[in-house]
Amino acid sequence: MSTILRATGCTISADDLLKTDAVFSILDYGAQKDGDPVKNTAAINKAINDAASSGGGTVVIPTGSYKSYTICLKSMVNLYFEKGAILLAAKTSIEHSYQNQDSEGGNYEEPEVNLYAGLQDHGHSYFANSLIYGADIHDVMIYGEGLINGSSLNEETNTLEYVLQGGDPMEPQGRNERGHRGEWFGNKAIALLRCENIVLKDFSLIIGGHFAVIAEAVTNLLCDSVLIDTTRDAFDIDCCENVTVRNSSFNSLTDDALVIKSSFGAGFFKPAKNIWIHDCSVSGYDAGSVYAKTFSCDKLIATDRCGPTARIKLGTESSCGYDQVTIERTRFDRSRGFALEAVDLSDMTNIIFTDCVMEHISSSPIFIRVGDRARFPVTGTSTEESIIAPCPNVRLDEPNFVLPDTPSYHSYPAKRYTPSYNKTKEVCVDGNSSFYVVDPDDPACLNPGNYKEEDGHYYLMHYDNTFHRYIPDYSFPISKEERYRYANAVGRYAFPEASHIEISNLTVTDADPRYPMLIMGLVDSPITDIVLKNITVTYRGGLTMEHATEQRQLNTNWKYTQYKTAPSVQTLPWLVNTFFLKEEGLLPRADWDNDKKTWIPDPYNVPELPRVYPEPSNWGILPAYGLFIRHAKDVQVENMTIRYEVPDKRHP
């Protein structure tokens, strides 16, 4: 086994950023408790601008409630919340997208232009429409024992309304357009973009929108003693370097609690590196109930119909990769397990997960996945700025990963290709529900944009750096049948790799019996150098090999009232969850007996599914209840105990 490098985290402290000589109270600039949010926004931003003009200082939000729209941070200016101070997100007008809302007089900053939109979700591409926003700034601390609140109490119904939205404005049509189609709204509490030397300390944050806090390409970041209790992602650490998160709590039933990503959201390739998380807790109680200390759990599952999410995850946006991430002494409660996902062509190395406790785990306690979603930018054949690249082009599937062939963009010529399958054959296995699989008579699609035919011969196109365009490669002829391999160009040759991983000193209780610990590489990229030691996992048990063969669907409805919100209904999948699992993954597990000319049960015939969204539920009910490993080498398992509460008839 190779040496696994530990993360050391940030080099900044709160004391390094204290600025007590120059103090600016927002009350001196016209902000008022329970006052007009438009005037409060102007007052807070004027205080920040004056502090920046004077060389730096601290802007104070005093005790009381202050509604506001976007607060724009500046370098060398801290934002301090006195105890009892509450910053409330103000409502804006939403009429045509996501969820209707009546305005309180203003709006959040207009989403910016991001040329690399479409390479990641909208929320990772646009940041300005946040309650607190800082871009290209340095030496800033947000701190104090106050509260940032993205919700509002409806006095007529006595229920909470979520002001900061859990979804995004509509994506623009062009990469050179701002991030909306005429209407936008606030959907993040704190967004930090390309910043350096940032400290988040002591405050609480509830109902933070799509991302309560997102740090995008931030270098030297400390998060200390913060509580985030929200509906979607609590804290996204995207393409950041030198990060410490400690002594903090993150609650998010319907999305990830602490998630490390590596997207192109900052506009360039930057791996997430040297991230140290320790002495924290993640949980999946009803949104708002952890801050209120009631810890209610009436809502049973997340939007994707698996149990509470609330986990620590590396992924899913992983185009730039991860290196040197250490998580230790952290508690998981009513959540999914620890997830490591290298599925977008970049690598994941030097990961340590140790001295942690997990209780009431609703998915795989450990999930390590290498996939090939081919979500990596590739230079196309057009100069058009549309996010959905025009046809014909170098990709049939996911054309949003095709970049215009102009000097404004990084160049990523095609390096390899993937097929495009015709999943158009409708099948039914239970006499009721139907789904689509690959049509055996017409399995794949052709993309004439990636090859050229001359005199009955076919030649692959390649990018000529001299002429800056794709031309036929006459040294690379392909057969007529081989054309089907070249439907989707990818801007990187290698498959993603996952290696140098240690998971140790872990105790897991009350784990969902459907999802064992999963270590799943690819045929062409096995997961390597993994240490699993001193691990005890107790599953609820109760399943059989027949469940692993049939992949049966069984659903019931559940009425619930999440903390202080209006009543609602959700569908509970007791066996196979079809939210992410689609197409051939829904088929019963079987093999063809050529002698008997019939199908025979085979629970071990688990589909590879290299391009699906990486969630444990995508592989249905597996033939092992404890540990399922596929396409891995140099795996060291030491002192592992796997138990169940009631008998499970599958293999451990």
Side-chain angles (χ1 to χ4, degrees):
M1 289 294 180
S2 304
T3 301
I4 302 174
L5 300 178
R6 289 182 61 91
T8 56
C10 68
T11 60
I12 197 80
S13 72
D15 289 343
D16 294 332
L17 295 185
L18 279 175
K19 303 173 181 68
T20 56
D21 293 338
V23 177
F24 301 78
S25 172
I26 64 171
L27 297 180
D28 295 335
Y29 288 83
Q32 294 184 344
K33 300 176 184 178
D34 305 315
D36 177 78
V38 174
K39 294 180 179 179
N40 283 345
T41 304
I44 297 171
N45 283 318
K46 182 66 165 61
I48 291 173
N49 289 334
D50 281 2
S53 298
S54 66
T58 298
V59 171
V60 177
I61 299 181
T63 301
S65 296
Y66 305 88
K67 281 189 177 181
S68 179
Y69 296 101
T70 302
I71 296 169
C72 296
L73 301 174
K74 301 287 185 180
S75 294
M76 302 296 294
V77 178
N78 293 342
L79 192 62
Y80 173 67
F81 292 87
E82 288 186 349
K83 189 172 184 177
I86 303 174
L87 180 67
L88 292 166
K91 294 180 181 180
T92 191
S93 177
I94 308 175
E95 298 179 354
H96 308 294
S97 55
Y98 197 66
Q99 182 175 313
N100 290 347
Q101 190 176 97
D102 294 327
S103 176
E104 293 181 277
N107 199 355
Y108 295 83
E109 288 288 309
E110 185 178 5
E112 64 270 43
V113 172
N114 187 339
L115 297 181
Y116 294 89
L119 304 187
Q120 56 279 320
D121 290 344
H122 186 287
H124 291 278
S125 297
Y126 305 104
F127 307 92
N129 55 317
S130 303
L131 180 57
I132 299 174
Y133 168 60
D136 303 298
I137 58 173
H138 62 87
D139 296 280
V140 171
M141 180 160 59
I142 303 172
Y143 70 114
E145 297 181 55
L147 172 67
I148 300 169
N149 188 350
S151 66
S152 176
L153 182 66
N154 186 317
E155 296 181 354
E156 293 182 2
T157 62
N158 198 33
T159 58
L160 281 179
E161 295 178 350
Y162 297 160
V163 177
L164 293 177
Q165 300 294 289
D168 307 313
M170 293 181 66
E171 197 135 68
Q173 294 179 316
R175 296 184 177 279
N176 54 354
E177 299 173 5
R178 289 183 174 270
H180 61 88
R181 292 196 189 182
E183 181 175 85
W184 71 90
F185 44 81
N187 69 343
K188 303 175 185 71
I190 301 175
L192 302 163
L193 175 63
R194 297 185 301 266
C195 302
E196 186 174 2
N197 298 337
I198 303 293
V199 172
L200 310 174
K201 194 173 189 309
D202 295 334
F203 61 84
S204 297
L205 193 165
I206 59 175
I207 315 301
H210 191 167
F211 304 112
V213 178
I214 182 168
E216 183 78 32
V218 174
T219 301
N220 227 18
L221 169 65
L222 171 63
C223 175
D224 188 5
S225 303
V226 167
L227 168 64
I228 299 178
D229 185 357
T230 188
T231 52
R232 296 282 314 268
D233 283 8
F235 190 8
D236 269 42
I237 302 167
D238 191 354
C239 289
C240 295
E241 185 173 359
N242 303 338
V243 177
T244 299
V245 182
R246 66 190 183 200
N247 308 319
S248 297
S249 298
F250 306 92
N251 183 69
S252 177
L253 188 155
T254 56
D255 221 319
D256 297 309
L258 257 173
V259 55
I260 302 168
K261 298 184 178 180
S262 57
S263 75
F264 268 81
F268 49 83
F269 185 94
K270 179 179 174 62
K273 187 171 183 179
N274 189 27
I275 297 170
W276 183 25
I277 298 168
H278 66 91
D279 299 290
C280 292
S281 66
V282 295
S283 61
Y285 293 97
D286 289 342
S289 71
V290 170
Y291 177 77
K293 295 184 171 58
T294 62
F295 300 95
S296 64
C297 48
D298 198 36
K299 187 173 184 179
L300 298 184
I301 59 174
T303 305
D304 63 15
R305 299 174 63 201
C306 280
T309 312
R311 65 191 158 193
I312 297 178
K313 180 175 80 170
L314 275 65
T316 301
E317 306 281 1
S318 54
S319 296
C320 300
Y322 315 97
D323 183 52
Q324 215 167 324
V325 178
T326 300
I327 298 106
E328 56 189 340
R329 299 187 302 278
T330 291
R331 180 182 181 84
F332 292 60
D333 183 16
R334 198 173 189 257
S335 72
R336 297 178 200 178
F338 180 50
L340 298 171
E341 301 169 356
V343 295
D344 296 330
L345 298 188
S346 290
D347 298 338
M348 176 171 61
T349 55
N350 293 308
I351 312 298
I352 297 175
F353 182 74
T354 188
D355 298 316
C356 294
V357 174
M358 298 181 177
E359 291 186 318
H360 317 304
I361 299 305
S362 58
S363 189
S364 297
I366 299 297
F367 177 56
I368 307 176
R369 174 62 175 164
V370 170
D372 184 23
R373 298 198 300 173
R375 287 167 58 100
F376 197 88
V378 60
T379 299
T381 58
S382 169
T383 59
E384 290 188 31
E385 296 277 355
S386 56
I387 290 179
I388 304 300
C391 292
N393 220 302
V394 296
R395 285 187 74 102
L396 293 181
D397 302 327
E398 296 177 312
N400 49 300
F401 282 88
V402 179
L403 296 177
D405 189 9
T406 73
S408 299
Y409 297 85
H410 305 304
S411 180
Y412 294 100
K415 296 294 180 65
R416 69 177 178 93
Y417 299 83
T418 65
S420 176
Y421 294 104
N422 273 325
K423 298 188 177 183
T424 54
K425 182 175 179 61
E426 187 175 12
V427 297
C428 177
V429 296
D430 60 2
N432 181 27
S433 59
S434 64
F435 51 93
Y436 291 90
V437 297
V438 173
D439 185 346
D441 297 322
D442 184 22
C445 304
L446 289 172
N447 184 359
N450 286 334
Y451 63 87
K452 183 177 179 61
E453 180 183 2
E454 289 186 9
D455 300 325
H457 298 283
Y458 302 94
Y459 303 95
L460 192 66
M461 306 292 284
H462 80 107
Y463 192 79
D464 188 293
N465 288 310
T466 301
F467 296 101
H468 298 287
R469 60 186 174 90
Y470 287 93
I471 62 175
D473 184 356
Y474 292 108
S475 68
F476 200 95
I478 59 176
S479 68
K480 185 176 182 179
E481 292 75 16
E482 285 178 317
R483 294 176 302 162
Y484 289 96
R485 297 181 181 178
Y486 300 101
N488 297 304
V490 182
R492 181 168 179 170
Y493 179 78
F495 289 100
E497 294 183 0
S499 65
H500 305 104
I501 299 169
E502 177 190 319
I503 297 172
S504 60
N505 306 330
L506 175 65
T507 301
V508 183
T509 55
D510 190 30
D512 192 311
R514 294 174 293 176
Y515 308 117
M517 291 175 280
L518 284 172
I519 299 174
M520 305 178 76
L522 295 173
V523 173
D524 298 301
S525 184
I527 298 170
T528 61
D529 270 347
I530 305 178
V531 177
L532 304 171
K533 65 181 180 181
N534 304 330
I535 296 173
T536 299
V537 184
T538 304
Y539 293 92
R540 292 198 290 272
L543 298 182
T544 66
M545 292 297 277
E546 287 75 18
H547 290 118
T549 299
E550 294 175 351
Q551 301 302 311
R552 188 180 295 269
Q553 299 176 37
L554 176 64
N555 303 290
T556 59
N557 286 337
W558 171 258
K559 296 180 179 180
Y560 70 95
T561 303
Q562 189 172 200
Y563 177 75
K564 289 190 176 181
T565 61
S568 190
V569 177
Q570 56 185 190
T571 300
L572 309 178
W574 295 103
L575 290 172
V576 171
N577 178 5
T578 62
F579 185 90
F580 289 121
L581 182 58
K582 308 291 184 187
E583 299 156 350
E584 64 269 22
L586 291 169
L587 291 169
R589 307 287 156 81
D591 276 325
W592 179 254
D593 188 320
N594 201 45
D595 294 332
K596 297 180 180 179
K597 305 300 181 186
T598 187
W599 291 100
I600 57 174
D602 183 2
Y604 310 102
N605 191 10
V606 179
E608 294 281 348
L609 306 177
R611 296 196 64 183
V612 301
Y613 185 88
E615 193 66 42
S617 60
N618 257 324
W619 286 270
I621 309 299
L622 290 161
Y625 68 81
L627 177 62
F628 185 93
I629 303 179
R630 179 168 61 182
H631 307 315
K633 64 181 183 179
D634 299 327
V635 180
Q636 175 181 316
V637 181
E638 177 184 336
N639 192 27
M640 176 181 286
T641 302
I642 303 171
R643 305 188 179 111
Y644 47 62
E645 295 177 6
V646 299
D648 195 302
K649 296 182 180 180
R650 298 169 297 161
H651 303 290

